[in-house]
Amino acid sequence: SSGINAEYGATKEEKLKLLESEQVYNDRIHDQESSKREKLIKKINYQLNKATSLKKEAFTRVEELQDQLNEYESVVMSPSPAPFTPRPNTTVGNRARRINTATTDNKRLSRPKSTGLLVKRSVIHSGQM
């Protein structure tokens, strides 16, 4: 808008310089906006990947716990004594396995409401001796 007023009394060279400076300014604004959009897209992709990874780990852990529970139930329900051997935790690294074992030893696993059976993990492990 201010460029239009300046153009009336300006020479061709002055008009050209004015247009060039406006173009440089517009290009800079466009580049900044593009950069912001790219950063936002990267941030959203990172968050999405992280959330997906956490969900996969959670589902894997739920499956492992369900398998342990099913094995324990089969031992408890079987008429003949069978040794209980928990499956090794192969989907989580050693460090995470140590952390999971340490933090879940004293926690209780809840059964569906139909049975009301609550089993401590330490009880499950003591049954294998």
Side-chain angles (χ1 to χ4, degrees), residues 51-119:
T52 302
S53 175
L54 289 172
K55 285 180 183 180
K56 285 180 182 178
E57 288 176 19
F59 279 116
T60 300
R61 185 69 180 136
V62 166
E63 287 175 357
E64 291 169 357
L65 291 172
Q66 188 64 48
D67 287 346
Q68 286 180 5
L69 200 55
N70 290 339
E71 286 183 38
Y72 179 73
E73 283 180 339
S74 69
V75 168
V76 170
M77 301 299 175
S78 68
S80 62
F84 177 75
T85 54
R87 293 188 182 150
N89 192 349
T90 56
T91 58
V92 181
N94 288 335
R95 180 174 178 273
R97 187 178 309 133
R98 284 194 307 272
I99 291 170
N100 286 343
T101 303
T103 58
T104 57
D105 278 342
N106 297 324
K107 291 186 181 175
R108 296 168 67 153
L109 301 175
S110 63
R111 285 293 301 133
K113 298 292 181 193
S114 60
T115 64
L117 177 64
L118 294 176
V119 180

Side-chain angles (χ1 to χ4, degrees), residues 39-55:
K39 286 178 185 178
L40 182 60
I41 289 170
K42 285 181 182 179
K43 180 181 177 183
I44 291 170
N45 278 331
Y46 172 79
Q47 291 172 342
L48 178 63
N49 289 337
K50 185 176 180 182
T52 302
S53 175
L54 289 172
K55 285 180 183 180

